Amino acid sequence: MLVGRAFLFGTATGDEKGVLGVMKKLQDEIDRSMAYLGFLNVGELHADLLFSKLSTTIVKLTEMRAADAA
């Protein structure tokens, strides 16, 4: 998720307090994003959510085009 830089900036700007602020902001963002998707906690998430039918179709078409080009 490329969040390491945020912790580095938090450390640079406020030591432990800065890192805790970054952690709070990230937690709030995760909670808000999950709420937008209709989930209350991480336990409700599952691997099937990673791919939709559309993304699966795009992957298959890409593979077919690559096979045709070879």
Side-chain angles (χ1 to χ4, degrees), residues 6-56:
F7 289 105
L8 180 63
F9 292 153
T11 302
T13 60
D15 296 326
E16 182 179 354
K17 189 174 183 179
V19 173
L20 292 174
V22 168
M23 290 173 68
K24 174 71 172 122
K25 287 180 184 180
L26 288 173
Q27 182 63 52
D28 291 347
E29 188 173 324
I30 291 169
D31 289 344
R32 187 173 30 260
S33 295
M34 287 182 50
Y36 289 154
L37 294 169
F39 298 102
L40 298 176
N41 61 60
V42 176
E44 295 177 0
L45 303 176
H46 49 85
D48 294 341
L49 297 170
L50 295 176
F51 289 101
S52 67
K53 288 183 180 180
L54 176 60
S55 63
T56 303

Side-chain angles (χ1 to χ4, degrees), residues 55-69:
S55 63
T56 303
T57 301
I58 291 170
V59 169
K60 286 181 182 178
L61 288 173
T62 303
E63 290 171 349
M64 288 171 49
R65 286 183 184 159
D68 288 342

